Amino acid sequence: MRRRFDAGEADASQLRRLEDRCIERAVRMQEQVGLQAITDGEYRRLIYFGHFSAAVSGFTEMEAELQFKDEQGGRLKYSTPVVTGRLKRERGIATEEFAYVRSLTERTPKVTLPSPCSQHFFRWREGVSERAYPNLDDFFRDVADVYSEELQDLSRLGATYVQLDDVSLPMLCDAQARERFRARGYEPASIVDAYIEVVNRALDGRPPGMVVGIHMCRGNNQGRWLGEGGYDFVAEQVFNQLAVDAFFLEYDSPRAGSFEPLRFMPRSKRVVLGLVTTKSPALEDADDLKRRLDEASVHVPLDRLSLSPQCGFASTAPGNPLTPADQAAKLSLVCRVASEVWGKAF
């Protein structure tokens, strides 16, 4: 249907009705497997961050040099919105998505937004973006304002749970990616400080009662990834200074490194371990998941740990190589293990 819409063969109302039906099915499936936090499956987006640049002016779509990898060494070219003007929130980013999910469930709707720091790491292009923002601090200030406005509007609609999806900080844990970033003119250690500051600015004054987590991912596109490396490079700074309530950490493969960086996690933070991969249909073993939770509990007590998939099943419109049945099986596994370990699925 979306291809037909893009080709002018279907109108917006037809596309909307199909999206509504897909979202309704996704909500019912999540409820049936036992999840207590419910998303819309991002069915209204072509890519996980697409709703941001659609609602915020100041971006132009351009080709990028990022390349996704897979086990066979294959690569995918990538395109992204690039900052070419002053950023301004023209309308709600995820407000309509939230309102529709809330109308479908009595459980907690979960809002997802791309992280504030990703607006620089992926959307800033040297030699282009400086024309709009000669001073990088002005850019970070505008980014934070956009998020602050969005969180306020989401709260007015009743939202209490927001997840920031971030790939930039985990990419800085990849030695090769750090060198590429250094070649762009940045000192990686210093930019981590700047990224922490822009996230904290965005969350400063967030509505009371709103829980905000950050999902730290190494890329997720049709089963492929962007980077690899443990969280060691950013762990002490990010875990201690980022003003979020929870960290959703990708730990589904050796690319994520060990649990050692969790030793820096403050007692006030919850850690959600993404031990179940969304990049392949192979179903994990429940006992293996429990064993890994025990290993992580050496650094963070079990009562502050949770379990989840490592990322979404479709960060881009083509989706990952899993069927709906595969997805339901993995979510059911997460809920079952959570119930056996903690007595409930969160």
Side-chain angles (χ1 to χ4, degrees):
M1 176 65 77
R2 191 172 291 279
R3 289 192 185 96
R4 291 181 57 208
F5 173 75
D6 291 341
E9 299 169 358
D11 61 31
S13 64
Q14 291 174 297
L15 177 61
R16 184 79 175 198
R17 285 194 297 271
L18 179 58
E19 290 172 344
D20 287 350
R21 290 197 297 273
C22 291
I23 293 167
E24 289 165 15
R25 287 198 293 268
V27 169
R28 297 287 88 82
M29 184 270 279
Q30 291 171 81
E31 291 178 333
Q32 288 165 6
V33 301
L35 291 175
Q36 299 303 308
I38 307 296
T39 79
D40 69 348
E42 300 182 358
Y43 273 103
R44 302 205 197 279
R45 312 181 196 176
L46 287 173
I47 194 166
Y48 77 96
F49 58 76
H51 60 326
F52 191 93
S53 56
V56 177
S57 58
F59 294 101
T60 301
E61 193 76 17
M62 295 184 182
E63 287 297 316
E65 296 180 1
L66 292 176
Q67 293 180 315
F68 287 85
K69 311 168 190 176
D70 62 18
E71 299 287 359
Q72 289 74 43
R75 293 172 180 266
L76 285 177
K77 290 291 184 180
Y78 189 75
S79 64
T80 185
V82 170
V83 174
T84 55
R86 305 289 288 201
L87 301 192
K88 180 183 178 184
R89 180 176 174 269
E90 302 290 349
R91 57 179 174 82
I93 301 165
T95 49
E96 285 190 17
E97 294 176 349
F98 166 79
Y100 189 59
V101 174
R102 194 183 188 203
S103 75
L104 297 174
T105 185
E106 295 298 316
R107 300 183 189 181
T108 302
K110 180 179 182 179
V111 177
T112 58
L113 296 166
S115 72
C117 33
S118 66
Q119 305 307 328
H120 177 263
F121 190 93
F122 291 108
R123 317 286 168 249
W124 184 274
R125 180 164 296 184
E126 291 71 30
V128 174
S129 303
E130 294 94 338
R131 300 169 196 166
Y133 287 101
N135 186 324
L136 192 56
D137 285 341
D138 292 339
F139 169 71
F140 284 136
R141 187 175 300 109
D142 283 355
V143 169
D145 287 347
V146 167
Y147 281 87
S148 180
E149 291 171 16
E150 178 73 7
L151 294 179
Q152 293 295 330
D153 279 357
L154 283 167
S155 178
R156 280 190 279 272
L157 292 171
T160 59
Y161 185 18
V162 175
Q163 175 178 297
L164 304 175
D165 288 317
D166 183 66
V167 184
S168 55
L169 291 168
M171 286 298 289
L172 290 173
C173 297
D174 182 311
Q176 292 182 355
R178 284 200 300 276
E179 288 309 308
R180 291 194 297 269
F181 201 57
R182 191 173 278 112
R184 289 173 59 183
Y186 304 100
E187 176 49 49
S190 298
I191 207 68
V192 171
D193 288 329
Y195 285 175
I196 291 170
E197 183 178 356
V198 71
V199 173
N200 290 348
R201 266 192 205 173
L203 300 182
D204 186 36
R206 73 178 183 260
M210 177 176 281
V211 173
V212 178
I214 188 165
H215 170 226
M216 297 175 66
C217 168
R218 293 165 182 80
N220 185 52
N221 190 334
Q222 300 171 69
R224 296 166 171 87
W225 62 89
L226 278 173
E228 54 190 82
Y231 296 102
D232 308 73
F233 183 76
V234 302
E236 187 169 11
Q237 284 174 278
V238 169
F239 293 165
N240 283 283
Q241 297 175 27
L242 213 55
V244 296
D245 302 296
F247 288 91
F248 294 78
L249 301 178
E250 177 185 90
Y251 266 115
D252 66 320
S253 80
R255 291 188 302 277
S258 75
F259 291 131
E260 286 291 324
L262 296 180
R263 71 188 186 277
F264 295 113
M265 192 64 66
R267 294 179 180 179
S268 59
K269 310 293 185 183
R270 175 166 285 278
V271 178
V272 184
L273 296 177
L275 302 178
V276 175
T277 191
T278 63
K279 288 180 167 61
S280 81
L283 191 63
E284 288 77 2
D285 179 79
D287 289 336
D288 286 343
L289 295 177
K290 293 174 186 177
R291 176 182 53 77
R292 297 205 70 201
L293 288 168
D294 285 340
E295 291 171 359
S297 71
V298 172
H299 306 288
V300 177
L302 197 60
D303 62 2
R304 287 198 289 115
L305 293 176
S306 299
L307 173 67
S308 77
Q310 133 271 340
C311 196
F313 292 108
S315 298
T316 62
N320 285 358
L322 293 86
T323 67
D326 294 330
Q327 297 171 31
K330 285 187 177 260
L331 293 177
S332 294
L333 175 64
V334 167
C335 291
R336 176 164 62 85
V337 172
S339 295
E340 292 171 359
V341 172
W342 295 284
K344 62 181 178 179
F346 297 97

